[in-house]
Amino acid sequence: MEQWMLYILAGILAGIISSLFGIGAGVLLVPILAIGFGFAQKSAQGMALFVMLPMALTGAIRYYLNPDIQIDLPICGLIAAGGVIGALLGSQLVFFIPNAILKPLFACLLILVGINMLVKSIRQTPVKEPLCVESNR
């Protein structure tokens, strides 16, 4: 299979997984780009961030248009404003961290997040979601 087809398949997989679970595509794309395609860790992270914008925007619009899902835009705006500041700081800080340290830190983050989600899902009592949430749109 040609390389460009593999990139498109990686994008399709990342788009499905990120929209399905509401996670950033970087969780999937960074390892795919770094391990699967051999990009340096920082290049993989930068590329994942670059492609997340159109994927996240598409997924967000689809969620927003679903009348069963309540999206509070003012809260989203506040989080986005903080996220922009954090992205500026993080993208500056990453230049001071060697790839040899960054890659294991990323792996530890994924492991810790996974363990945390697993433990919380086991401990929680399932919450029944309403079939339809009234929308203020």
Side-chain angles (χ1 to χ4, degrees):
M1 186 178 293
E2 294 192 39
Q3 192 78 0
W4 65 269
M5 292 175 76
L6 293 174
Y7 291 136
I8 290 174
L9 288 174
I12 290 170
L13 180 63
I16 290 170
I17 299 297
S18 66
S19 291
L20 185 63
F21 295 110
I23 61 170
V27 171
L28 188 61
L29 278 179
V30 171
I32 287 174
L33 291 169
I35 297 167
F37 292 112
F39 287 98
Q41 182 71 20
K42 290 177 187 174
S43 294
Q45 290 175 191
M47 290 168 66
L49 287 168
F50 192 85
V51 301
M52 273 193 259
L53 180 62
M55 288 190 318
L57 186 58
T58 301
I61 291 169
R62 293 281 296 151
Y63 270 79
Y64 182 75
L65 293 175
N66 184 330
D68 295 336
I69 299 173
Q70 183 179 356
I71 304 291
D72 190 320
L73 290 180
I75 290 175
C76 292
L78 292 171
I79 294 170
V84 167
I85 294 167
L88 288 169
L89 295 171
S91 61
Q92 187 63 36
L93 180 63
V94 76
F95 299 124
F96 300 103
I97 303 172
N99 280 332
I101 294 173
L102 198 58
K103 196 175 237 181
L105 284 176
F106 182 75
C108 288
L109 174 68
L110 291 179
I111 291 167
L112 290 173
V113 168
I115 290 170
N116 184 35
M117 289 180 69
L118 181 63
V119 168
K120 284 185 176 184
S121 68
I122 291 171
R123 288 185 180 170
Q124 277 186 339
T125 310
V127 177
K128 282 187 104 177
E129 291 188 26
L131 293 176
C132 183
V133 176
E134 285 189 33
S135 176
N136 292 333
R137 290 181 231 148

